[in-house]
Amino acid sequence: MKKKIFISIFFIFLFTQKSFAYSSDPKQFITEIVEEVKKILIATNTKEYKTTKLSEIALETVDIKGIAFYSLGKYRKNITDENLKEYLRLFEKYFLKSFTSRLTDYSDPKINVLSTNILNEKYTIVKSVLIGTDKKPEVNIEWRIYTKNPEKPMIRDLIIEGLSLARTQKEEFASVIELNNGDVSKLFDTLKEFISK
Amino acid sequence: MSVKMIRKIIFIFVISLFFQTNNVVADTSGNEELNVSQESDTAQECFEGVSRAMFKFNHALDGAVFEPVAKGYRSLPAGLRKGTGNAVNNLRSLLTLTNNVLQGDFHKAADTAGRFLVNTTVGILGIWDPATALGLEDHGKEDFGQTMGVWGTSSGCYFVLPILGPTTARDAVGLVGNMFLDPVYQVTHNSGMADRSFSEHNYWYYRGTGSVDFRAKNIESFDSVEENSIDLYASLKSLYLQNRNKKILNSKSITETQNDNDWEEIDTN
């Protein structure tokens, strides 16, 4: 009997650990992510630990596939299934490396989540501010949240002081492809190079 | 036809080439649509090869000179940097004031003028910023490129200037316009003015200090963009054009400055 209770408790514990669900309310969703990121970015954690944990959060909360499609722009219309599969594989690695690299240099960031603006049933913007220090100015950060599934909001873009990271990335990808006469495989080479850096 | 006339025709041709309207946007579905407000999509390159070469030169110059100077500046006491930044911004607000008026934005012009008066007097030459505490809002910087954008001038093509960095045909003309419209430039350059206690050098010190202050505040941001770009030239072009578009629209709402259409068709769940 005791054994059964122990096993039940063990599985309940295991289940709750694996399925920690973020809030479905976009503002609360971002607040929870910010709190988690703050805990990870404390100075005593190693860079490897920060990278691993931030990647886990990104995989859970960021619509990486959606951003991948967006970043490919008009070129996704003509890409073969095989190339698309390869692109999505490379993009995830590229995104996680880029995402974690941007954040691991911060220690103890102070972000206040301020308000939300519902654009339509698919998108809500959450406004926040990264508090300035004596060396860095205050930074306004807006999070584009994809809310098509209201139970599971996902981040699709970060807009820093009005400048969209996703748009910048999309235009960067387009530039690489256009410089190579529309050859998407050259973008793959560039992504591989970035990943292996 | 005289040489003068030929020169004039060439000049008009080059200017019209620069300012050609490029409002046709190819969205993600491959359709073309007319869209006035999403300029970050539209600026074509004037001469990309030259611009990329110029960009490399600027990037090297930044690494060798501007970044080390900015890092040195950042090691100064915070109060000194803050006061310097405030004083430079206070002087810069005179150009903003002129452009507020040219844009017909008299409410912002009144705030800018009020801020300048309060900060120059109570704030001792702009070193402190009591105007903000008094509720006089800082609406941000304006320049003649923005004013021309507000008047409806298209950005024209994009290129990179030596030292000054990314620009468009409109903004390059705006740079020249800024000199004529900036009271600080006039006071330091116009020999007809009665008070000659300020030399031309003073203007360039003021501009240089403003640039160093800006660079120092953005060291990590520049590093992050540099580290995470697969095509730094294209990244900075995108950021520059998005920023100009946002400033011309005088909007803080991304729904006005960003094209949402290309997100709409992406469904992943």
Side-chain angles (χ1 to χ4, degrees):
Chain A
M1 185 62 185
K2 274 184 180 175
K3 196 178 176 185
K4 274 186 181 173
I5 291 170
F6 175 77
I7 291 169
S8 302
I9 290 171
F10 175 76
F11 274 103
I12 289 167
F13 178 77
L14 198 69
F15 178 75
T16 52
Q17 288 300 299
K18 285 277 179 196
S19 67
F20 171 73
Y22 289 94
S23 171
S24 59
D25 172 61
K27 187 178 172 189
Q28 186 58 29
F29 171 63
I30 294 301
T31 306
E32 287 171 3
I33 293 170
V34 164
E35 285 308 315
E36 278 219 42
V37 169
K38 264 188 204 170
K39 283 181 209 161
I40 292 166
L41 291 180
I42 54 170
T44 48
N45 286 332
T46 63
K47 194 161 184 172
E48 289 70 29
Y49 175 85
K50 289 178 187 175
T51 304
T52 308
K53 287 292 171 188
L54 289 171
S55 295
E56 285 172 11
I57 292 178
L59 287 168
E60 180 72 16
T61 61
V62 180
D63 181 12
I64 298 176
K65 195 177 172 186
I67 299 170
F69 280 131
Y70 175 83
S71 301
L72 202 51
K74 64 182 180 184
Y75 295 99
R76 75 169 183 276
K77 297 287 174 186
N78 303 318
I79 197 168
T80 63
D81 287 348
E82 196 184 333
N83 273 349
L84 183 62
K85 208 173 157 188
E86 171 70 350
Y87 169 69
L88 291 174
R89 187 186 70 81
L90 288 172
F91 185 87
E92 184 176 293
K93 286 187 174 178
Y94 157 79
F95 179 86
L96 291 175
K97 182 167 182 181
S98 172
F99 173 79
T100 53
S101 150
R102 284 175 205 269
L103 287 176
T104 44
D105 291 335
Y106 280 94
S107 58
D108 196 24
K110 290 184 174 54
I111 297 179
N112 289 343
V113 181
L114 304 172
S115 61
T116 54
N117 175 21
I118 300 169
L119 299 181
N120 53 43
E121 62 177 15
K122 288 208 287 193
Y123 290 107
T124 293
I125 301 293
V126 177
K127 294 183 179 186
S128 66
V129 62
L130 175 65
I131 306 297
T133 63
D134 64 340
K135 289 190 175 163
K136 297 177 198 169
E138 184 178 284
V139 180
N140 291 304
I141 301 172
E142 291 168 298
W143 312 67
R144 178 185 286 273
I145 311 297
Y146 183 52
T147 51
K148 192 182 177 196
N149 177 357
E151 294 306 310
K152 187 160 177 48
M154 299 288 274
I155 299 167
R156 274 198 161 176
D157 192 9
L158 244 64
I159 299 113
I160 297 169
E161 289 291 334
L163 311 179
S164 156
L165 290 186
R167 174 170 297 276
T168 305
Q169 189 168 265
K170 181 184 172 187
E171 290 173 3
E172 201 181 10
F173 281 22
S175 173
V176 172
I177 296 169
E178 279 157 24
L179 278 177
N180 290 286
N181 304 312
D183 185 355
V184 178
S185 68
K186 296 293 180 194
L187 173 67
F188 297 178
D189 294 341
T190 311
L191 291 177
K192 282 177 195 164
E193 201 180 311
F194 181 89
I195 294 162
S196 64
K197 263 199 300 189
Chain B
M1 196 183 284
S2 68
V3 175
K4 203 172 174 184
M5 180 66 90
I6 292 169
R7 273 189 190 160
K8 198 173 177 183
I9 289 169
I10 292 171
F11 176 75
I12 291 168
F13 174 74
V14 170
I15 290 291
S16 60
L17 192 72
F18 267 41
F19 281 102
Q20 60 186 311
T21 310
N22 293 311
N23 286 333
V24 178
V25 197
D27 71 5
T28 50
S29 60
N31 298 325
E32 290 188 335
E33 59 181 39
L34 286 174
N35 200 321
V36 179
S37 66
Q38 281 93 37
E39 288 196 358
S40 62
D41 282 341
T42 64
Q44 302 296 313
E45 294 277 352
C46 297
F47 21 73
E48 187 170 356
V50 177
S51 291
R52 280 189 181 265
M54 205 55 73
F55 172 77
K56 270 189 186 170
F57 168 76
N58 287 348
H59 192 224
L61 193 67
D62 179 67
V65 180
F66 298 129
E67 191 180 1
V69 171
K71 282 181 176 167
Y73 174 80
R74 201 142 100 169
S75 64
L76 296 172
L80 182 61
R81 277 185 284 120
K82 176 101 177 152
T84 306
N86 284 346
V88 169
N89 285 338
N90 189 51
L91 277 176
R92 174 62 177 76
S93 70
L94 290 169
L95 178 60
T96 297
L97 173 61
T98 317
N99 284 286
N100 287 151
V101 173
L102 288 172
Q103 290 171 26
D105 200 336
F106 298 108
H107 170 72
K108 284 184 184 169
D111 278 351
T112 308
R115 285 181 60 80
F116 179 75
L117 287 173
V118 171
N119 286 344
T120 305
T121 52
V122 184
I124 311 173
L125 300 175
I127 293 168
W128 284 276
D129 178 20
T132 299
L134 290 172
L136 289 165
E137 193 183 344
D138 180 0
H139 299 287
K141 292 172 183 169
E142 297 286 343
D143 58 51
F144 192 56
Q146 285 166 252
T147 298
M148 286 195 292
V150 171
W151 289 346
T153 311
S154 89
S155 66
C157 56
Y158 172 89
F159 60 104
V160 178
L161 286 167
I163 301 171
L164 298 174
T167 191
T168 59
R170 180 193 55 216
D171 294 340
V173 173
L175 285 174
V176 179
N178 285 342
M179 291 188 179
F180 292 103
L181 295 172
D182 188 353
V184 182
Y185 183 87
Q186 291 304 324
V187 167
T188 52
H189 283 71
N190 192 340
S191 56
M193 292 219 170
D195 185 356
R196 293 302 299 151
S197 32
F198 301 104
S199 73
E200 291 178 16
H201 293 112
N202 294 114
Y203 175 76
W204 299 111
Y205 292 149
Y206 139 70
R207 290 296 306 275
T209 308
S211 301
V212 171
D213 187 60
F214 173 80
R215 185 69 180 86
K217 282 174 180 165
N218 292 284
I219 289 173
E220 288 78 10
S221 307
F222 275 88
D223 288 349
S224 175
V225 172
E226 194 175 345
E227 196 181 327
N228 293 293
S229 289
I230 56 170
D231 182 350
L232 185 58
Y233 174 87
S235 277
L236 292 179
K237 177 186 173 185
S238 174
L239 292 170
Y240 174 80
L241 293 172
Q242 286 184 59
N243 189 39
R244 293 300 289 175
N245 195 29
K246 182 189 77 159
K247 285 182 169 173
I248 287 163
L249 291 168
N250 283 324
S251 174
K252 288 178 182 167
S253 163
I254 62 150
T255 51
E256 289 173 21
T257 60
Q258 301 283 330
N259 184 354
D260 270 3
N261 296 338
D262 38 10
W263 277 115
E264 285 304 324
E265 59 183 66
I266 296 167
D267 280 332
T268 50
N269 62 16

